[in-house]
Amino acid sequence: MRKIFILLSMSLVLPMMSCKETPSVPNATESAYENPVVEAIMERRSVRKYQDRPVDRDLLMRIAECGINAPNAMNAQQWEVRIVDNKEWIQGMSDLQLSMMDASMVGQMKADPSFRNAFRNGTALFVVAVKPSPMTFIDAGLMGENIMLAAHSFGLGTCCLGSSARFLNTPEAADYLKALQFSEGYEVQYIIAAGYPDEQPQAKPRNKEVIKFI
């Protein structure tokens, strides 16, 4: 009888203990769909101020590998990526870009005490080129998002620069483009500046009205 009483007592006490130890979820709707990927997407921002600190090449390579693992049409992989961390190339191309830009815009950029180069002060660049076609332009966009999210997950900031790519495609920048050794027929689509962030930009509002169920 005593053994039975002890067992019954334990069976009542254990559930009470387990209930006390289980953390309560304050709002299930807020946390049900959260995970590291969602957090990276929601936290990523365009960074325009970077520390004067180089990024390890192994890390840059890992981020580029994430880029080429993006989906692409027919798995043709008609894209190429060049990682530029050469200070001479970055500064030289920056000076050339500034010489072709509107003077007032250059003045605004240089008025910032932290200004170092036209690539938003990034210490490394991902230059993405594709063999032009309607699908490869989409492929390039998918690759870019992979690169930026991967960089964010490793504590880096990024900023996608379309204007810098246009300057790189000009005849004046032919020597800088040639140094990147892209395959014949490939065209630069954008440049992603990267580095250790020196700012924490706030999120800008997003219009949820563009989302509709049909």
Side-chain angles (χ1 to χ4, degrees):
M1 247 340 252
R2 186 179 177 187
K3 290 182 178 178
I4 295 174
F5 177 76
I6 292 172
L7 289 172
L8 286 171
S9 299
M10 291 178 67
S11 67
L12 291 170
V13 172
L14 286 174
M16 293 174 62
M17 291 174 62
S18 63
C19 288
K20 289 180 180 179
E21 292 172 359
T22 303
S24 59
V25 179
N27 191 334
T29 57
E30 291 180 359
S31 59
Y33 302 108
E34 292 300 315
N35 59 58
V37 175
V38 172
E39 290 173 6
I41 292 171
M42 295 302 186
E43 291 173 358
R44 186 212 62 80
R45 301 286 176 266
S46 293
V47 174
R48 294 175 174 83
K49 292 184 180 180
Y50 297 90
Q51 301 172 31
D52 188 10
R53 174 184 168 193
V55 182
D56 185 82
R57 282 193 163 189
D58 288 339
L59 178 53
L60 293 171
M61 184 64 186
R62 186 59 174 159
I63 293 168
E65 288 174 350
C66 290
I68 63 173
N69 273 278
N72 63 100
M74 303 297 291
N75 195 33
Q77 302 183 48
Q78 292 183 316
W79 51 29
E80 294 185 359
V81 187
R82 298 294 180 263
I83 305 171
V84 182
D85 59 359
N86 181 286
K87 289 185 177 181
E88 288 74 20
W89 192 99
I90 292 175
Q91 194 58 56
M93 185 59 216
S94 171
D95 292 342
L96 178 59
Q97 176 176 329
L98 293 172
S99 71
M100 293 188 285
M101 289 174 60
D102 179 76
S104 61
M105 187 174 293
V106 174
Q108 291 177 8
M109 294 174 70
K110 289 190 173 182
D112 186 343
S114 65
F115 177 81
R116 289 195 304 274
N117 63 60
F119 301 107
R120 300 297 183 178
N121 299 341
T123 56
L125 308 173
F126 294 91
V127 186
V128 175
V130 298
K131 182 174 278 190
S133 80
M135 296 309 298
T136 55
F137 296 145
I138 297 172
D139 297 343
L142 295 169
M143 171 188 276
E145 185 71 0
N146 268 25
I147 288 173
M148 290 186 286
L149 289 176
H152 175 79
S153 74
F154 286 116
L156 300 180
T158 57
C159 187
C160 189
L161 307 170
S163 58
S164 292
R166 289 196 295 273
F167 285 112
L168 182 56
N169 285 322
T170 61
E172 293 86 347
D175 289 340
Y176 289 96
L177 181 59
K178 183 179 179 181
L180 300 181
Q181 301 179 14
F182 283 114
S183 296
E184 185 176 353
Y186 279 68
E187 294 182 6
V188 174
Q189 298 304 300
Y190 55 78
I191 297 172
I192 297 177
Y196 290 97
D198 200 22
E199 65 172 355
Q200 293 182 322
Q202 295 299 309
K204 295 181 179 179
R206 291 296 194 258
N207 178 20
K208 292 185 179 181
E209 295 299 318
V210 300
I211 305 172
K212 296 184 185 297
F213 282 99
I214 304 299

